[in-house]
Amino acid sequence: MKQSSSSVSSFSSDDTVAVQMQRFPFPEIPVTLTDPEDRKAWLLTHYWTLFNFADTALVNNRDVTEQGFVNFVALLVDGSTSEQLIRESLTQWCSRFMIETHACKVLMQIADDYLYNPNSPFYNEKLYSLYLEAVLDELPKEDVRCSTLNFKLKLLKRNNPGDKAMNFTYYLPDGTRCTLAATPVKGDRLLLVFYDSECESCHAVLQQMSDDVTLAKEVKEGLISVLAIYTEGNDEVWRKALPSMPKEWIIGTDHEAVKTGALYDLKAMPSLYLLDGQKRVVLKDVSFEQLSTAIKRG
């Protein structure tokens, strides 16, 4: 069950969030705590105290477990929760469910679905990274899951806003070898697009981009450059689709260098980045709507 974060993101002294979680074993905040921030801190660090992770029926009840998680996340990301409190709350949560095999499987899947899926309204790479760190702290180093989780964490820490984008080699249709670092940028803005010619979502987004009047105008006037990189390694498929790509864009294929080197997190395609002229990340892995808004704002 998904719920808009706007309905649970605020925390008031009368604890209205408790009303929204009638079926969740909500802990009772001590009456001696009167300051709203103190009450919130206590709530977050005791949020899962009464939840029985050993009860498989309870864990499998989406109306309780999943909705409880949604409200938990909403409090964590309401904009007023310190990173220290977020870390402590996640540690308390993970330390409780990690010791129960079934609960661990269910809760880790819920965290993936809500925090790591770009299509989720709760998609949040920063919170997901902190969650992964909390899980890894609870797992023995020899646990087979550590390798996968560390790999995800490594990807998440790359190419974040303000970072220099990871460099890679790509090839133009005539075979010319190029690099991201050496790609010329007009207007101090580079729209970097990773795509798959056989991906339906890519077709839709690329068509949307091709039809966008503002983007076309800015590219034509030299106010922004677009670099579209085919990442799947099938040269025949790539070349077959080239005629449908805008002629003003730079189109290349990386011969799967980005995927093989795990240089960018391509969990969903297409993957869109906005870089500046020095190839520093301005926007990471966002929708074209978000990019379009940023472009129009200049």
Side-chain angles (χ1 to χ4, degrees):
M1 178 187 297
K2 294 183 179 179
Q3 179 170 325
S4 171
S5 59
S6 62
S7 64
V8 293
S9 59
S10 61
F11 187 80
S12 59
S13 58
D14 60 359
D15 306 318
T16 56
V17 70
V19 177
Q20 299 167 2
M21 300 188 295
Q22 292 177 355
R23 300 182 63 188
F24 186 85
F26 189 75
E28 185 176 350
I29 302 175
V31 294
T32 54
L33 296 178
T34 57
D35 181 78
E37 288 306 307
D38 290 341
R39 291 173 65 80
K40 177 181 178 182
W42 189 95
L43 169 62
L44 283 173
T45 53
H46 294 79
Y47 189 95
W48 298 92
T49 304
L50 301 181
F51 190 93
N52 184 3
F53 291 103
D55 186 341
T56 57
L58 175 63
V59 170
N60 289 337
N61 187 331
R62 297 170 67 92
D63 289 333
V64 176
T65 307
E66 197 164 340
Q67 190 61 57
F69 174 79
V70 166
N71 286 278
F72 179 57
V73 167
L75 288 172
L76 292 177
V77 300
D78 69 355
S80 66
T81 309
S82 67
E83 183 172 316
Q84 180 180 350
L85 179 55
I86 292 174
R87 287 181 180 276
E88 185 177 350
S89 304
L90 290 172
T91 295
Q92 292 291 335
W93 176 52
C94 292
S95 66
R96 292 179 180 278
F97 78 70
M98 292 291 290
I99 59 177
E100 300 293 343
T101 302
H102 182 69
C104 184
K105 179 180 179 181
V106 172
L107 269 299
M108 289 184 73
Q109 186 61 58
I110 288 176
D112 284 354
D113 291 343
Y114 275 85
L115 303 181
Y116 193 54
N117 182 349
N119 296 318
S120 165
F122 292 90
Y123 176 60
N124 189 313
E125 286 196 353
K126 175 62 175 177
L127 184 59
Y128 189 70
S129 295
L130 296 177
Y131 151 75
L132 287 181
E133 291 176 358
V135 170
L136 285 165
D137 284 343
E138 297 297 323
L139 285 175
K141 301 303 179 185
E142 63 274 12
D143 192 293
V144 294
R145 291 169 291 185
C146 287
S147 176
T148 299
L149 297 178
N150 274 310
F151 178 75
K152 280 187 177 182
L153 191 57
K154 182 179 179 181
L155 276 179
L156 287 167
K157 291 186 175 182
R158 286 181 169 172
N159 307 301
N160 287 306
D163 293 346
K164 194 88 167 181
M166 295 291 291
N167 191 31
F168 59 87
T169 298
Y170 65 92
Y171 300 85
L172 299 177
D174 64 4
T176 301
R177 181 181 183 276
C178 307
T179 64
L180 173 65
T183 299
V185 177
K186 297 178 180 179
D188 199 39
R189 293 184 297 173
L190 176 65
L191 175 47
L192 175 60
V193 184
F194 295 108
Y195 74 98
D196 173 4
S197 302
E198 297 182 308
C199 158
E200 290 186 12
S201 177
C202 292
H203 279 299
V205 174
L206 289 173
Q207 188 62 56
Q208 184 182 9
M209 293 174 65
S210 298
D211 295 340
D212 189 271
V213 176
T214 300
L215 178 60
K217 181 175 182 292
E218 298 220 344
V219 171
K220 184 177 181 180
E221 295 178 355
L223 300 176
I224 191 171
S225 299
V226 179
L227 173 61
I229 300 297
Y230 172 70
T231 61
E232 302 310 298
N234 189 322
D235 195 68
E236 181 180 351
V237 168
W238 173 58
R239 290 185 178 279
K240 184 178 180 180
L242 284 176
S244 65
M245 303 292 282
K247 299 296 187 292
E248 298 80 11
W249 295 6
I250 305 171
I251 313 297
T253 176
D254 70 337
H255 295 174
E256 297 187 281
V258 170
K259 290 196 330 185
T260 302
L263 302 180
Y264 290 77
D265 190 358
L266 303 181
K267 57 182 172 291
M269 298 289 272
S271 187
L272 280 59
Y273 290 73
L274 181 63
L275 312 181
D276 66 16
Q278 288 68 51
K279 312 303 177 356
R280 292 194 179 279
V281 179
V282 178
L283 294 175
K284 174 186 179 181
D285 201 12
V286 293
S287 68
F288 180 62
E289 286 76 15
Q290 291 172 299
L291 275 171
S292 182
T293 298
I295 290 171
K296 290 175 181 177
R297 287 175 180 171

